Amino acid sequence: MAETQANKYNLTEGGILSKLLLVSLPIMGTQFLQMAYNLTDMFWLGKVGSDAVASAGAAGMYMWLSFGFLLIGRMGAEIGVAQSLGRGDKKAALVYSQNSMFLAIVLGLFFCLPMIFFNKTLAGFFNFREEGVASSASVYLRIVGFAVPLNFITGVITGTFNASGNSRTPFILNGIGLVANVILDPLFILVLDMGVRGAAIATIIAQIIVGILMIAGIFFFKGRPFTHYSLQFSVEKKKVIQILKWAIPLALESILFTFLAMLTSRVEVSFGARAMATSKVGSQLESLSWLIAGGFGSALVAFIGQNYGAGKEDRIRRCVKISAQAMAIWGIMITIFLWFGGSFVFSLFLPGPEMLALGKPYLRILSFAQLPMTMEAVGSGAFKGTGRTIPPSIASIATNIVRPILAFFLSRTSLGLYGVWIAVSATALMRGVWVCLWYVLAERGRSRLGE
């Protein structure tokens, strides 16, 4: 007998590996699409020059910063919807999604205004030495700022779909956005000779396409989480407070992570725009580990959230074990790739011996942190699925505070620019080990207490 739609996305029953893959593969695919999306921009901007890559990279830091605010709505939906569905309470799940949407719209409007009206000040933060880099970054910020509220709405809808067990729909819709970006990037950047401005226009068009499709999906598509989804609802104070309790630690973690990364980038830029361009392209290759692992972590939030709501502790433990094994293998594979093959791929985006002389050591230095980062995603996702968002946030915030300080001092030694990258790799390694150990010790403590 064919599996019904409801049972298909019910993560509290059935084979653990099969259900975990049902959710994780599309999410990891979506994360891979995001990486491909960014690499497409970097590839075509690389044809313009390293300054163009640096401009887009600097502006991208603010888009990354916006993700911390976006997380409030998205994580509210992922945790609230998953746990409510696990308890069999569809009404509460819908309310969590709707209240998360309310927060997303408010925060999206709040964040887009500085990008539109104060973009020159924001771009000037990095203190670029090269003329024109900051100017191009400010143009990029102003254009993409208009799509920020829609991106926040898309985040909640994605979280709602993922929490319900249907991560396939967001994957398909994001894939359509990638195709649009792949087509539009060379058209606007090279054919119309718009450079960084063209990359921003291509990006915002692709984001609008995905946003419109996501909104249509939550209301009309087959496999949508709720039969009837309405934006006419009353804001429930208790639900909003609970969402904020779950999400604010994660939002602060992401915001501080990005801000402190921006401080690190400021130290990096003191060595020239080429250093920024190197790290932006290199970080996209490196994201093969943390984006894919992050996607797996999001799947864990949905899987563990539903099973936590259903009180199935043994199923949660087995899921974490399987996830840790899978992500360990992936982390080792990416480590090998960055050490031996990353420089070849890097040269496709920023060709020339001078850029390769920077790219190869960058990738090798960062390779040491890949396994800990993939394992961090497992521990962090497991914590979040049970609503314990504070531990991974503490570990992240603490190590990220150390990062720019360490980068500053190491850069003043004979290591120079390499010191900045060593600081990035060392703190990522430290964070991954910390989160994993904390989760293991916390679970042992719960077992002793008989929880």
Side-chain angles (χ1 to χ4, degrees):
M1 186 176 182
E3 187 176 30
T4 66
Q5 196 78 359
N7 288 336
K8 180 180 179 181
Y9 298 125
N10 180 1
L11 306 180
T12 62
E13 298 176 357
I16 292 176
L17 182 58
S18 61
K19 290 290 176 129
L20 192 57
L21 291 175
L22 173 72
V23 182
S24 65
L25 288 178
I27 295 179
M28 288 190 292
T30 300
Q31 298 287 57
F32 182 82
L33 289 177
Q34 183 59 54
M35 183 196 71
Y37 198 99
N38 295 333
L39 281 174
T40 299
D41 278 356
M42 297 297 173
F43 179 80
W44 293 111
L45 286 172
K47 305 299 180 185
V48 179
S50 59
D51 282 3
V53 174
S55 296
M61 296 293 284
Y62 287 102
M63 294 303 293
W64 192 8
L65 186 65
S66 76
F67 186 72
F69 294 89
L70 181 153
L71 269 179
I72 293 177
R74 176 168 175 168
M75 292 309 302
E78 284 194 356
I79 297 173
V81 172
Q83 292 191 3
S84 297
L85 290 178
R87 291 191 293 269
D89 191 347
K90 278 198 170 184
K91 183 178 179 181
L94 175 60
V95 172
Y96 271 118
S97 179
Q98 290 172 324
N99 280 267
S100 296
M101 184 71 75
F102 165 75
L103 288 171
I105 293 171
V106 172
L107 292 170
L109 291 171
F110 166 78
F111 196 89
C112 76
L113 295 177
M115 293 179 65
I116 295 171
F117 295 107
F118 302 104
N119 47 79
K120 290 183 179 179
T121 302
L122 296 176
F125 169 82
F126 294 98
N127 197 27
F128 281 104
R129 298 184 305 182
E130 291 81 0
E131 186 178 350
V133 176
S135 176
S136 295
S138 68
V139 170
Y140 191 103
L141 282 170
R142 183 174 66 250
I143 294 171
V144 298
F146 286 99
V148 166
L150 186 60
N151 292 342
F152 279 45
I153 292 170
T154 298
V156 171
I157 296 173
T158 298
T160 301
F161 269 108
N162 290 347
S164 72
N166 177 11
S167 55
R168 182 172 177 267
T169 296
F171 168 66
I172 293 173
L173 301 186
N174 277 288
I176 294 172
L178 172 64
V179 171
N181 194 54
V182 168
I183 295 170
L184 294 174
D185 256 351
L187 173 64
F188 283 104
I189 294 172
L190 296 180
V191 177
L192 299 178
D193 195 25
M194 297 177 71
V196 174
R197 184 190 297 271
I201 293 173
T203 295
I204 194 173
I205 292 174
Q207 289 174 342
I208 290 172
I209 291 172
V210 173
I212 291 172
L213 290 173
M214 284 285 190
I215 293 170
I218 197 74
F219 282 98
F220 306 114
F221 286 9
K222 182 181 178 181
R224 61 189 184 274
F226 309 105
T227 305
H228 302 289
Y229 195 93
S230 174
L231 293 179
Q232 296 180 343
F233 63 93
S234 299
V235 176
E236 292 193 16
K237 185 178 178 181
K238 289 184 178 179
K239 291 290 192 295
V240 170
I241 291 173
Q242 182 59 68
I243 290 169
L244 293 176
K245 284 182 178 178
W246 283 329
I248 282 180
L250 299 174
L252 288 175
E253 171 193 340
S254 180
I255 292 167
L256 284 172
F257 178 88
T258 307
F259 176 70
L260 294 167
M262 290 166 71
L263 291 178
T264 304
S265 294
R266 187 182 169 97
V267 177
E268 190 175 53
V269 166
S270 67
F271 293 91
R274 286 182 177 179
M276 167 73 90
T278 297
S279 67
K280 292 311 149 194
V281 172
S283 66
Q284 294 306 316
L285 299 181
E286 182 208 1
S287 68
L288 275 168
S289 62
W290 56 265
L291 271 181
I292 300 301
F296 207 91
S298 293
L300 281 176
V301 174
F303 188 98
I304 292 176
Q306 286 196 24
N307 284 279
Y308 184 76
K312 297 187 176 183
E313 293 286 340
D314 182 63
R315 191 171 171 85
I316 291 173
R317 284 191 291 270
R318 288 160 58 200
C319 168
V320 172
K321 183 178 179 180
I322 292 171
S323 301
Q325 292 170 344
M327 285 299 97
I329 294 171
W330 181 251
I332 292 169
M333 289 172 60
I334 299 304
T335 299
I336 295 171
F337 163 71
L338 292 180
W339 187 270
F340 294 104
S343 57
F344 169 74
V345 180
F346 178 91
S347 66
L348 299 177
F349 295 87
L350 290 173
E354 291 183 356
M355 295 309 303
L356 185 59
L358 290 174
K360 186 173 183 178
Y362 174 88
L363 293 173
R364 288 192 167 184
I365 290 169
L366 270 292
S367 69
F368 290 99
Q370 302 313 301
L371 177 58
M373 282 198 293
T374 57
M375 299 306 293
E376 176 199 352
V378 176
S380 182
F383 269 127
K384 293 171 187 175
T386 58
R388 293 175 291 169
T389 56
I390 292 178
S393 296
I394 290 175
S396 179
I397 291 170
T399 53
N400 289 326
I401 288 174
V402 173
R403 175 173 292 179
I405 299 171
L406 185 61
F408 176 80
F409 284 108
L410 290 180
S411 70
R412 295 300 186 269
T413 69
S414 59
L415 291 170
L417 179 59
Y418 293 165
V420 179
W421 297 337
I422 289 171
V424 173
S425 187
T427 50
L429 188 154
M430 187 190 311
R431 184 177 64 248
V433 172
W434 188 352
V435 171
C436 291
L437 284 178
W438 196 338
Y439 181 77
V440 170
L441 294 175
E443 288 305 293
R444 287 180 180 175
R446 286 182 54 183
S447 297
R448 285 197 298 267
L449 292 174
E451 293 184 23

